[in-house]
Amino acid sequence: MERKVEVFDDDVTEAEIAVHLREEGYYHAPPKFIAQANLTDPDIFKRFSLENFPECFKEYADLLTWSKYWEKTLDTSNAPFWRWFVGGKLNACYNCVDRHLEKHRNKAAIHFVPEIESEPIIHMTYQELFMRVNELAAFLRNFCGLKTGDRVTLHMPMVAELPITMLACARIGVIHSQVFSGFSGRAVVDRMIDSGSDILITMDGYYRNGVLQNHKGQADVACEHAHEHDFNIEKVLIWQRHPGTYSSKRPLVEGRDFIINDMLKHYHHTTIDPVQMSAEAPLFLMYTSGTTGKPKGCQHSTGGYLAYAAGTARIVQDIHPEDVYWCMADIGWITGHTYIVYGPLALGASTVIYEGVPTYPDAGRPWRIAEELGVNIFHTSPTAIRALRRSGPDEPKKHNYHFKHMTTVGEPIEPEVWKWYYEVVGKGEAVIVDTWWQTETGGVLCSTVPGLHPMKPGTAGPGMPGIHVVIYDEDGNEIPRGANRAGNICIRNPWPGIFQTIWGDSERFVKSYYAHYNKKEKSTDWRDWPYFASDGAVQTEDGYYRILGRIDDVINVAGHRLGSKEIESAALTVDEVAEAAVVPVADEIKGRIPDLYVALKPGFQPSHELEQRISAAVVSEISPIARPRRVWIVPDMPKTRSGKIMRRVLAAISSGSDTGDVSTLANPEIVAELRKMANP
Ligand code: WTA
């Protein structure tokens, strides 16, 4: 049965695209999974009911080791700046490393899988992780003078040195801000300036599609770009991808660039005590895209974040200490922070870090890795699943691995793709969780609990324990379950994983996430401050949530969050460009990709060369992941009478769908002209 869901907002883009809902049937977890699952007690939802809020979250906090136990679960006196586990002290590195030594000293904490298949896999025990983290922490503190509360920017690829660096920062209370390695040096600098961090930690190179990337080159770009902004990057600390060998052709700049592997020789076997941090101390910043051009630094806490990471990794990912867990995401995004590093390591599991592209050198690679390491929990994105399904639909069958559990995250997954994941990748033996959450939320918000709820392809599931979800229409009326209408998905209550603020911009924090449905401006009652997620969603009769996508100007490209405004600003760095507008178009593999429309300043003529130059500007300002599908140089943008560019009309042109009524535009005649251009 195909049903059409009404969408209320005229400006929505993503939600409009994904409005055809087909009800899928349930799939049930195999008894073998249930028999060993961490959570099969349905009472958890009673324990985490709103009557028991916020005390219920003690259950998550108690998964951690506190050097000083907390006194107050939740302080709302400065709403919506929530303070969790007030009075408590702990160290995140201690919780992820030291405390496991007694039982698991000799167990693999990290399996690092290089992209080049002939390079051996590195199995790093908890003891070794402990040593490496301590040495680096000592170096950062003693040589770089870093201290509690300082910010450090990381621009590191998917290597074991990345979690080592994050944990070393956490050990001394330094706030890390890892920027996705695929971002350009220029994008790195914007984030360094915003966070006030003048030390950059990077790596000389890393492998992607079999090619050793000159990653140090990006650090040089960053330093040059910093100068243009009168900002000085004081130190560039460089890990060697091949220890003992410098893999970049770029020269080292005396007094600025230091090879970490050389420097660490002075810190051999140095251990330093973990600094006990207040539960409220920031653990890291994670920059993400929003509606305005400037990326925002989401600030996550130590106690609340780590408790939520551990609690959800245990409940949703079903991680036990004996599991081999592989999340094939990038640590440069929140998924990697929570579910490659902090969640699994807090639980004492073995976490796999794969350097490269899932389909390198062929679509059988992930399944060979799974077989080789005995991976039993697998976690990835719909984009990766779609790519593997297209390039090697029968590959999983050829490999002798067995997953008990699989996760999907980051984008909606089409039921057809879900079924391939279930039947072919999971061999019908593994449960699937479709987890909906965001950079801001620290951990999963909606998902089935695999030992409790049946799965439904294409649908995330109910709210997690303690996450009380509500869908509001534009006027703040609740849309009841089963109403078959989409609305804005919100969370009624705070939870420990929620980010604390936007670094340096608390006003924007309140405005973007809480002002929308705030009931009383000065209220200190959390009930007055629903969290506004910026996603459209529908709740079906059974209480499951189906996420339709962003209602703001964020485009989700292959699960990477990009701001339309960021891409538009990049296009505007090209002299000839007067106006730019970006819209998402559907893509078979990546879900969505950006289409870029530009209008030129008077006196300039369109040309293929100019299109290419604009596209190149987007890549160098942001990243190859932001590369537009096409640059359309147009004579004019469709505009409202007040001069606002109608992105909705452009989106319809790009996707070849109906533009609807355009008669109210200031220049309706342009629509036919653009349509002709796009579909000659
Ligand atoms: C989207 C990633 C559908 C959503 C953890 C959200 C999803 C944005 C899902 C956040 C899902 C995430 N189904 N859509 N299971 N998970 N999204 O901050 O639009 O990189 O707002 O966090 O991804 O992306 P972010």
PDB file of all heavy atoms in Angstrom, residues 288 333-335 382 408-413 434-441 446 460 533-535 547-550 554 556 559-561, ligand 1:
ATOM      1  N   THR A 288      30.021  20.615  13.004  1.00  0.00           N
ATOM      2  CA  THR A 288      29.049  20.094  12.059  1.00  0.00           C
ATOM      3  C   THR A 288      28.363  21.246  11.347  1.00  0.00           C
ATOM      4  O   THR A 288      28.515  22.396  11.721  1.00  0.00           O
ATOM      5  CB  THR A 288      28.030  19.166  12.755  1.00  0.00           C
ATOM      6  OG1 THR A 288      27.261  18.502  11.753  1.00  0.00           O
ATOM      7  CG2 THR A 288      27.079  19.940  13.650  1.00  0.00           C
ATOM      8  N   TRP A 333      33.755  11.734  12.226  1.00  0.00           N
ATOM      9  CA  TRP A 333      32.355  12.092  12.454  1.00  0.00           C
ATOM     10  C   TRP A 333      31.936  11.581  13.817  1.00  0.00           C
ATOM     11  O   TRP A 333      32.600  10.750  14.412  1.00  0.00           O
ATOM     12  CB  TRP A 333      31.451  11.479  11.371  1.00  0.00           C
ATOM     13  CG  TRP A 333      31.880  11.796   9.990  1.00  0.00           C
ATOM     14  CD1 TRP A 333      32.391  10.929   9.074  1.00  0.00           C
ATOM     15  CD2 TRP A 333      31.855  13.077   9.342  1.00  0.00           C
ATOM     16  NE1 TRP A 333      32.673  11.590   7.907  1.00  0.00           N
ATOM     17  CE2 TRP A 333      32.355  12.906   8.042  1.00  0.00           C
ATOM     18  CE3 TRP A 333      31.443  14.357   9.736  1.00  0.00           C
ATOM     19  CZ2 TRP A 333      32.463  13.964   7.136  1.00  0.00           C
ATOM     20  CZ3 TRP A 333      31.555  15.397   8.831  1.00  0.00           C
ATOM     21  CH2 TRP A 333      32.052  15.197   7.543  1.00  0.00           C
ATOM     22  N   ILE A 334      30.779  12.040  14.270  1.00  0.00           N
ATOM     23  CA  ILE A 334      30.328  11.674  15.616  1.00  0.00           C
ATOM     24  C   ILE A 334      30.154  10.159  15.758  1.00  0.00           C
ATOM     25  O   ILE A 334      30.448   9.590  16.811  1.00  0.00           O
ATOM     26  CB  ILE A 334      29.024  12.419  15.997  1.00  0.00           C
ATOM     27  CG1 ILE A 334      28.712  12.278  17.478  1.00  0.00           C
ATOM     28  CG2 ILE A 334      27.850  11.942  15.162  1.00  0.00           C
ATOM     29  CD1 ILE A 334      29.627  13.006  18.409  1.00  0.00           C
ATOM     30  N   THR A 335      29.704   9.490  14.713  1.00  0.00           N
ATOM     31  CA  THR A 335      29.512   8.039  14.816  1.00  0.00           C
ATOM     32  C   THR A 335      30.806   7.369  15.256  1.00  0.00           C
ATOM     33  O   THR A 335      30.806   6.478  16.100  1.00  0.00           O
ATOM     34  CB  THR A 335      29.060   7.452  13.460  1.00  0.00           C
ATOM     35  OG1 THR A 335      27.830   8.059  13.107  1.00  0.00           O
ATOM     36  CG2 THR A 335      28.882   5.955  13.530  1.00  0.00           C
ATOM     37  N   PRO A 382      24.062   3.438   5.166  1.00  0.00           N
ATOM     38  CA  PRO A 382      23.346   3.026   3.957  1.00  0.00           C
ATOM     39  C   PRO A 382      24.169   3.252   2.689  1.00  0.00           C
ATOM     40  O   PRO A 382      24.118   2.429   1.769  1.00  0.00           O
ATOM     41  CB  PRO A 382      22.092   3.902   3.977  1.00  0.00           C
ATOM     42  CG  PRO A 382      21.846   4.158   5.429  1.00  0.00           C
ATOM     43  CD  PRO A 382      23.218   4.297   6.028  1.00  0.00           C
ATOM     44  N   THR A 408      22.845   0.262  11.084  1.00  0.00           N
ATOM     45  CA  THR A 408      22.914   1.244  10.019  1.00  0.00           C
ATOM     46  C   THR A 408      22.656   2.609  10.639  1.00  0.00           C
ATOM     47  O   THR A 408      21.909   2.728  11.607  1.00  0.00           O
ATOM     48  CB  THR A 408      21.962   0.936   8.839  1.00  0.00           C
ATOM     49  OG1 THR A 408      21.707   2.146   8.127  1.00  0.00           O
ATOM     50  CG2 THR A 408      20.655   0.359   9.295  1.00  0.00           C
ATOM     51  N   VAL A 409      23.304   3.623  10.102  1.00  0.00           N
ATOM     52  CA  VAL A 409      23.222   4.962  10.692  1.00  0.00           C
ATOM     53  C   VAL A 409      23.476   6.050   9.657  1.00  0.00           C
ATOM     54  O   VAL A 409      24.188   5.831   8.690  1.00  0.00           O
ATOM     55  CB  VAL A 409      24.264   5.126  11.822  1.00  0.00           C
ATOM     56  CG1 VAL A 409      25.686   5.005  11.304  1.00  0.00           C
ATOM     57  CG2 VAL A 409      24.118   6.479  12.545  1.00  0.00           C
ATOM     58  N   GLY A 410      22.901   7.193   9.877  1.00  0.00           N
ATOM     59  CA  GLY A 410      23.309   8.383   9.142  1.00  0.00           C
ATOM     60  C   GLY A 410      22.370   8.865   8.063  1.00  0.00           C
ATOM     61  O   GLY A 410      22.364  10.047   7.734  1.00  0.00           O
ATOM     62  N   GLU A 411      21.604   7.960   7.486  1.00  0.00           N
ATOM     63  CA  GLU A 411      20.669   8.344   6.428  1.00  0.00           C
ATOM     64  C   GLU A 411      19.521   7.339   6.482  1.00  0.00           C
ATOM     65  O   GLU A 411      19.677   6.253   7.020  1.00  0.00           O
ATOM     66  CB  GLU A 411      21.287   8.170   5.031  1.00  0.00           C
ATOM     67  CG  GLU A 411      22.678   8.611   4.825  1.00  0.00           C
ATOM     68  CD  GLU A 411      23.308   7.766   3.714  1.00  0.00           C
ATOM     69  OE1 GLU A 411      22.791   7.802   2.597  1.00  0.00           O
ATOM     70  OE2 GLU A 411      24.284   7.062   3.985  1.00  0.00           O
ATOM     71  N   PRO A 412      18.430   7.705   5.834  1.00  0.00           N
ATOM     72  CA  PRO A 412      17.371   6.710   5.706  1.00  0.00           C
ATOM     73  C   PRO A 412      17.871   5.554   4.833  1.00  0.00           C
ATOM     74  O   PRO A 412      18.631   5.771   3.896  1.00  0.00           O
ATOM     75  CB  PRO A 412      16.253   7.466   4.985  1.00  0.00           C
ATOM     76  CG  PRO A 412      16.571   8.919   5.133  1.00  0.00           C
ATOM     77  CD  PRO A 412      18.066   9.004   5.241  1.00  0.00           C
ATOM     78  N   ILE A 413      17.459   4.341   5.168  1.00  0.00           N
ATOM     79  CA  ILE A 413      17.847   3.192   4.347  1.00  0.00           C
ATOM     80  C   ILE A 413      16.602   2.672   3.629  1.00  0.00           C
ATOM     81  O   ILE A 413      15.543   2.512   4.242  1.00  0.00           O
ATOM     82  CB  ILE A 413      18.540   2.097   5.198  1.00  0.00           C
ATOM     83  CG1 ILE A 413      18.984   0.935   4.315  1.00  0.00           C
ATOM     84  CG2 ILE A 413      17.675   1.618   6.357  1.00  0.00           C
ATOM     85  CD1 ILE A 413      19.969  -0.016   4.991  1.00  0.00           C
ATOM     86  N   ASP A 434      18.487   0.203  13.048  1.00  0.00           N
ATOM     87  CA  ASP A 434      18.563   1.409  12.214  1.00  0.00           C
ATOM     88  C   ASP A 434      18.531   2.566  13.211  1.00  0.00           C
ATOM     89  O   ASP A 434      17.503   2.858  13.808  1.00  0.00           O
ATOM     90  CB  ASP A 434      17.360   1.428  11.275  1.00  0.00           C
ATOM     91  CG  ASP A 434      17.300   2.680  10.407  1.00  0.00           C
ATOM     92  OD1 ASP A 434      18.037   3.649  10.681  1.00  0.00           O
ATOM     93  OD2 ASP A 434      16.487   2.699   9.463  1.00  0.00           O
ATOM     94  N   THR A 435      19.681   3.189  13.422  1.00  0.00           N
ATOM     95  CA  THR A 435      19.815   4.127  14.531  1.00  0.00           C
ATOM     96  C   THR A 435      19.749   5.571  14.052  1.00  0.00           C
ATOM     97  O   THR A 435      20.561   5.988  13.240  1.00  0.00           O
ATOM     98  CB  THR A 435      21.151   3.895  15.267  1.00  0.00           C
ATOM     99  OG1 THR A 435      22.232   4.026  14.324  1.00  0.00           O
ATOM    100  CG2 THR A 435      21.195   2.510  15.876  1.00  0.00           C
ATOM    101  N   TRP A 436      18.795   6.300  14.577  1.00  0.00           N
ATOM    102  CA  TRP A 436      18.676   7.723  14.231  1.00  0.00           C
ATOM    103  C   TRP A 436      19.238   8.580  15.357  1.00  0.00           C
ATOM    104  O   TRP A 436      18.847   8.402  16.514  1.00  0.00           O
ATOM    105  CB  TRP A 436      17.211   8.112  14.000  1.00  0.00           C
ATOM    106  CG  TRP A 436      17.069   9.597  13.875  1.00  0.00           C
ATOM    107  CD1 TRP A 436      17.466  10.365  12.830  1.00  0.00           C
ATOM    108  CD2 TRP A 436      16.522  10.497  14.850  1.00  0.00           C
ATOM    109  NE1 TRP A 436      17.198  11.697  13.090  1.00  0.00           N
ATOM    110  CE2 TRP A 436      16.626  11.796  14.322  1.00  0.00           C
ATOM    111  CE3 TRP A 436      15.960  10.331  16.122  1.00  0.00           C
ATOM    112  CZ2 TRP A 436      16.180  12.928  15.012  1.00  0.00           C
ATOM    113  CZ3 TRP A 436      15.524  11.452  16.804  1.00  0.00           C
ATOM    114  CH2 TRP A 436      15.635  12.737  16.248  1.00  0.00           C
ATOM    115  N   TRP A 437      20.133   9.442  15.011  1.00  0.00           N
ATOM    116  CA  TRP A 437      20.676  10.403  15.988  1.00  0.00           C
ATOM    117  C   TRP A 437      21.482  11.449  15.242  1.00  0.00           C
ATOM    118  O   TRP A 437      21.431  11.506  14.013  1.00  0.00           O
ATOM    119  CB  TRP A 437      21.479   9.706  17.088  1.00  0.00           C
ATOM    120  CG  TRP A 437      22.654   8.860  16.646  1.00  0.00           C
ATOM    121  CD1 TRP A 437      22.606   7.722  15.910  1.00  0.00           C
ATOM    122  CD2 TRP A 437      24.033   9.091  16.939  1.00  0.00           C
ATOM    123  NE1 TRP A 437      23.868   7.220  15.735  1.00  0.00           N
ATOM    124  CE2 TRP A 437      24.755   8.032  16.350  1.00  0.00           C
ATOM    125  CE3 TRP A 437      24.725  10.059  17.662  1.00  0.00           C
ATOM    126  CZ2 TRP A 437      26.149   7.939  16.444  1.00  0.00           C
ATOM    127  CZ3 TRP A 437      26.099   9.967  17.765  1.00  0.00           C
ATOM    128  CH2 TRP A 437      26.797   8.910  17.154  1.00  0.00           C
ATOM    129  N   GLN A 438      22.221  12.283  15.969  1.00  0.00           N
ATOM    130  CA  GLN A 438      22.908  13.427  15.355  1.00  0.00           C
ATOM    131  C   GLN A 438      24.190  13.760  16.109  1.00  0.00           C
ATOM    132  O   GLN A 438      24.347  13.371  17.266  1.00  0.00           O
ATOM    133  CB  GLN A 438      22.003  14.666  15.433  1.00  0.00           C
ATOM    134  CG  GLN A 438      20.620  14.442  14.871  1.00  0.00           C
ATOM    135  CD  GLN A 438      19.717  15.635  15.059  1.00  0.00           C
ATOM    136  OE1 GLN A 438      19.595  16.153  16.164  1.00  0.00           O
ATOM    137  NE2 GLN A 438      19.081  16.080  13.987  1.00  0.00           N
ATOM    138  N   THR A 439      25.043  14.524  15.460  1.00  0.00           N
ATOM    139  CA  THR A 439      26.265  15.008  16.103  1.00  0.00           C
ATOM    140  C   THR A 439      25.943  15.615  17.473  1.00  0.00           C
ATOM    141  O   THR A 439      26.654  15.393  18.449  1.00  0.00           O
ATOM    142  CB  THR A 439      26.909  16.099  15.222  1.00  0.00           C
ATOM    143  OG1 THR A 439      27.134  15.545  13.928  1.00  0.00           O
ATOM    144  CG2 THR A 439      28.221  16.577  15.811  1.00  0.00           C
ATOM    145  N   GLU A 440      24.871  16.364  17.506  1.00  0.00           N
ATOM    146  CA  GLU A 440      24.500  17.085  18.718  1.00  0.00           C
ATOM    147  C   GLU A 440      24.064  16.166  19.847  1.00  0.00           C
ATOM    148  O   GLU A 440      24.150  16.529  21.019  1.00  0.00           O
ATOM    149  CB  GLU A 440      23.335  18.041  18.413  1.00  0.00           C
ATOM    150  CG  GLU A 440      23.661  19.174  17.464  1.00  0.00           C
ATOM    151  CD  GLU A 440      23.522  18.800  15.977  1.00  0.00           C
ATOM    152  OE1 GLU A 440      23.475  17.587  15.668  1.00  0.00           O
ATOM    153  OE2 GLU A 440      23.464  19.708  15.147  1.00  0.00           O
ATOM    154  N   THR A 441      23.542  14.981  19.492  1.00  0.00           N
ATOM    155  CA  THR A 441      22.858  14.173  20.509  1.00  0.00           C
ATOM    156  C   THR A 441      23.774  13.169  21.204  1.00  0.00           C
ATOM    157  O   THR A 441      23.335  12.492  22.124  1.00  0.00           O
ATOM    158  CB  THR A 441      21.648  13.422  19.911  1.00  0.00           C
ATOM    159  OG1 THR A 441      22.119  12.375  19.055  1.00  0.00           O
ATOM    160  CG2 THR A 441      20.742  14.365  19.119  1.00  0.00           C
ATOM    161  N   CYS A 446      16.707   7.170  18.494  1.00  0.00           N
ATOM    162  CA  CYS A 446      15.641   6.245  18.124  1.00  0.00           C
ATOM    163  C   CYS A 446      16.236   5.002  17.496  1.00  0.00           C
ATOM    164  O   CYS A 446      17.083   5.096  16.607  1.00  0.00           O
ATOM    165  CB  CYS A 446      14.695   6.865  17.099  1.00  0.00           C
ATOM    166  SG  CYS A 446      13.583   8.074  17.784  1.00  0.00           S
ATOM    167  N   ALA A 460      13.453   3.590  11.803  1.00  0.00           N
ATOM    168  CA  ALA A 460      14.409   3.540  12.902  1.00  0.00           C
ATOM    169  C   ALA A 460      13.861   2.743  14.082  1.00  0.00           C
ATOM    170  O   ALA A 460      14.488   1.813  14.561  1.00  0.00           O
ATOM    171  CB  ALA A 460      14.793   4.956  13.333  1.00  0.00           C
ATOM    172  N   ALA A 533      15.136  18.814  16.608  1.00  0.00           N
ATOM    173  CA  ALA A 533      16.202  18.080  15.923  1.00  0.00           C
ATOM    174  C   ALA A 533      16.444  18.509  14.472  1.00  0.00           C
ATOM    175  O   ALA A 533      17.443  18.124  13.886  1.00  0.00           O
ATOM    176  CB  ALA A 533      15.891  16.581  15.956  1.00  0.00           C
ATOM    177  N   SER A 534      15.517  19.255  13.886  1.00  0.00           N
ATOM    178  CA  SER A 534      15.639  19.654  12.466  1.00  0.00           C
ATOM    179  C   SER A 534      15.472  18.498  11.487  1.00  0.00           C
ATOM    180  O   SER A 534      15.980  18.555  10.374  1.00  0.00           O
ATOM    181  CB  SER A 534      16.973  20.345  12.169  1.00  0.00           C
ATOM    182  OG  SER A 534      17.022  21.591  12.781  1.00  0.00           O
ATOM    183  N   ASP A 535      14.797  17.445  11.910  1.00  0.00           N
ATOM    184  CA  ASP A 535      14.454  16.369  10.978  1.00  0.00           C
ATOM    185  C   ASP A 535      12.932  16.268  10.887  1.00  0.00           C
ATOM    186  O   ASP A 535      12.234  16.465  11.884  1.00  0.00           O
ATOM    187  CB  ASP A 535      14.985  15.013  11.475  1.00  0.00           C
ATOM    188  CG  ASP A 535      16.410  14.744  11.006  1.00  0.00           C
ATOM    189  OD1 ASP A 535      16.705  15.021   9.833  1.00  0.00           O
ATOM    190  OD2 ASP A 535      17.224  14.263  11.817  1.00  0.00           O
ATOM    191  N   ILE A 547      12.265   8.369   9.801  1.00  0.00           N
ATOM    192  CA  ILE A 547      12.900   9.672   9.619  1.00  0.00           C
ATOM    193  C   ILE A 547      12.870  10.029   8.140  1.00  0.00           C
ATOM    194  O   ILE A 547      13.280   9.237   7.290  1.00  0.00           O
ATOM    195  CB  ILE A 547      14.364   9.636  10.116  1.00  0.00           C
ATOM    196  CG1 ILE A 547      14.435   9.083  11.555  1.00  0.00           C
ATOM    197  CG2 ILE A 547      15.007  11.016  10.005  1.00  0.00           C
ATOM    198  CD1 ILE A 547      13.672   9.862  12.592  1.00  0.00           C
ATOM    199  N   LEU A 548      12.382  11.230   7.845  1.00  0.00           N
ATOM    200  CA  LEU A 548      12.261  11.629   6.441  1.00  0.00           C
ATOM    201  C   LEU A 548      13.447  12.471   5.980  1.00  0.00           C
ATOM    202  O   LEU A 548      13.692  12.594   4.794  1.00  0.00           O
ATOM    203  CB  LEU A 548      10.964  12.407   6.243  1.00  0.00           C
ATOM    204  CG  LEU A 548       9.705  11.622   6.624  1.00  0.00           C
ATOM    205  CD1 LEU A 548       8.483  12.495   6.511  1.00  0.00           C
ATOM    206  CD2 LEU A 548       9.555  10.379   5.752  1.00  0.00           C
ATOM    207  N   GLY A 549      14.151  13.070   6.884  1.00  0.00           N
ATOM    208  CA  GLY A 549      15.326  13.849   6.480  1.00  0.00           C
ATOM    209  C   GLY A 549      15.269  15.271   7.013  1.00  0.00           C
ATOM    210  O   GLY A 549      14.316  15.667   7.684  1.00  0.00           O
ATOM    211  N   ARG A 550      16.305  16.017   6.683  1.00  0.00           N
ATOM    212  CA  ARG A 550      16.484  17.356   7.250  1.00  0.00           C
ATOM    213  C   ARG A 550      15.417  18.319   6.740  1.00  0.00           C
ATOM    214  O   ARG A 550      15.046  18.299   5.575  1.00  0.00           O
ATOM    215  CB  ARG A 550      17.856  17.901   6.848  1.00  0.00           C
ATOM    216  CG  ARG A 550      19.024  17.029   7.276  1.00  0.00           C
ATOM    217  CD  ARG A 550      19.302  17.070   8.723  1.00  0.00           C
ATOM    218  NE  ARG A 550      19.535  18.404   9.221  1.00  0.00           N
ATOM    219  CZ  ARG A 550      20.025  18.651  10.445  1.00  0.00           C
ATOM    220  NH1 ARG A 550      20.333  17.653  11.260  1.00  0.00           N
ATOM    221  NH2 ARG A 550      20.208  19.873  10.848  1.00  0.00           N
ATOM    222  N   VAL A 554      20.569  21.577   5.449  1.00  0.00           N
ATOM    223  CA  VAL A 554      21.657  20.605   5.493  1.00  0.00           C
ATOM    224  C   VAL A 554      21.416  19.540   4.429  1.00  0.00           C
ATOM    225  O   VAL A 554      20.302  19.051   4.273  1.00  0.00           O
ATOM    226  CB  VAL A 554      21.750  19.970   6.892  1.00  0.00           C
ATOM    227  CG1 VAL A 554      22.659  18.756   6.883  1.00  0.00           C
ATOM    228  CG2 VAL A 554      22.249  21.000   7.899  1.00  0.00           C
ATOM    229  N   ASN A 556      22.607  15.816   3.211  1.00  0.00           N
ATOM    230  CA  ASN A 556      23.269  14.640   3.750  1.00  0.00           C
ATOM    231  C   ASN A 556      23.849  13.840   2.571  1.00  0.00           C
ATOM    232  O   ASN A 556      23.150  13.082   1.925  1.00  0.00           O
ATOM    233  CB  ASN A 556      22.192  13.845   4.499  1.00  0.00           C
ATOM    234  CG  ASN A 556      22.767  12.792   5.382  1.00  0.00           C
ATOM    235  OD1 ASN A 556      23.894  12.335   5.155  1.00  0.00           O
ATOM    236  ND2 ASN A 556      22.023  12.380   6.383  1.00  0.00           N
ATOM    237  N   GLY A 559      25.894  10.295   3.880  1.00  0.00           N
ATOM    238  CA  GLY A 559      25.954  10.308   5.341  1.00  0.00           C
ATOM    239  C   GLY A 559      26.809  11.428   5.904  1.00  0.00           C
ATOM    240  O   GLY A 559      26.905  11.592   7.114  1.00  0.00           O
ATOM    241  N   HIS A 560      27.430  12.234   5.055  1.00  0.00           N
ATOM    242  CA  HIS A 560      28.208  13.379   5.539  1.00  0.00           C
ATOM    243  C   HIS A 560      27.323  14.611   5.521  1.00  0.00           C
ATOM    244  O   HIS A 560      26.699  14.927   4.515  1.00  0.00           O
ATOM    245  CB  HIS A 560      29.415  13.663   4.643  1.00  0.00           C
ATOM    246  CG  HIS A 560      30.323  12.488   4.443  1.00  0.00           C
ATOM    247  ND1 HIS A 560      30.706  11.664   5.477  1.00  0.00           N
ATOM    248  CD2 HIS A 560      30.922  12.002   3.338  1.00  0.00           C
ATOM    249  CE1 HIS A 560      31.502  10.724   4.999  1.00  0.00           C
ATOM    250  NE2 HIS A 560      31.640  10.894   3.705  1.00  0.00           N
ATOM    251  N   ARG A 561      27.336  15.308   6.625  1.00  0.00           N
ATOM    252  CA  ARG A 561      26.468  16.478   6.746  1.00  0.00           C
ATOM    253  C   ARG A 561      27.131  17.710   6.174  1.00  0.00           C
ATOM    254  O   ARG A 561      28.171  18.132   6.650  1.00  0.00           O
ATOM    255  CB  ARG A 561      26.235  16.692   8.225  1.00  0.00           C
ATOM    256  CG  ARG A 561      24.814  16.854   8.578  1.00  0.00           C
ATOM    257  CD  ARG A 561      24.703  16.792  10.071  1.00  0.00           C
ATOM    258  NE  ARG A 561      24.338  18.089  10.574  1.00  0.00           N
ATOM    259  CZ  ARG A 561      23.976  18.303  11.828  1.00  0.00           C
ATOM    260  NH1 ARG A 561      23.962  17.311  12.687  1.00  0.00           N
ATOM    261  NH2 ARG A 561      23.641  19.497  12.222  1.00  0.00           N
TER     262      ARG A 561
HETATM  263  C1  WTA B   1      20.328  11.893   9.380  1.00  0.00           C
HETATM  264  C2  WTA B   1      24.999  11.129  12.333  1.00  0.00           C
HETATM  265  C3  WTA B   1      17.521   8.527   8.701  1.00  0.00           C
HETATM  266  C4  WTA B   1      19.319  12.867   9.968  1.00  0.00           C
HETATM  267  C5  WTA B   1      24.808  10.170  13.510  1.00  0.00           C
HETATM  268  C6  WTA B   1      20.119  13.585  11.029  1.00  0.00           C
HETATM  269  C7  WTA B   1      19.296   9.614   9.672  1.00  0.00           C
HETATM  270  C8  WTA B   1      21.481  13.649  10.415  1.00  0.00           C
HETATM  271  C9  WTA B   1      19.581   8.485  10.461  1.00  0.00           C
HETATM  272  C10 WTA B   1      22.555  13.755  11.450  1.00  0.00           C
HETATM  273  C11 WTA B   1      18.750   7.317  10.292  1.00  0.00           C
HETATM  274  C12 WTA B   1      20.992  10.051  10.953  1.00  0.00           C
HETATM  275  N1  WTA B   1      17.750   7.398   9.401  1.00  0.00           N
HETATM  276  N2  WTA B   1      18.279   9.633   8.807  1.00  0.00           N
HETATM  277  N3  WTA B   1      18.965   6.183  10.953  1.00  0.00           N
HETATM  278  N4  WTA B   1      20.637   8.781  11.239  1.00  0.00           N
HETATM  279  N5  WTA B   1      20.207  10.566  10.006  1.00  0.00           N
HETATM  280  O1  WTA B   1      25.068  14.861  12.648  1.00  0.00           O
HETATM  281  O2  WTA B   1      18.902  13.757   8.960  1.00  0.00           O
HETATM  282  O3  WTA B   1      26.275  13.475  10.904  1.00  0.00           O
HETATM  283  O4  WTA B   1      19.623  14.865  11.348  1.00  0.00           O
HETATM  284  O5  WTA B   1      24.972  12.435  12.776  1.00  0.00           O
HETATM  285  O6  WTA B   1      21.607  12.441   9.659  1.00  0.00           O
HETATM  286  O7  WTA B   1      23.823  13.621  10.871  1.00  0.00           O
HETATM  287  P1  WTA B   1      25.117  13.653  11.787  1.00  0.00           P
END
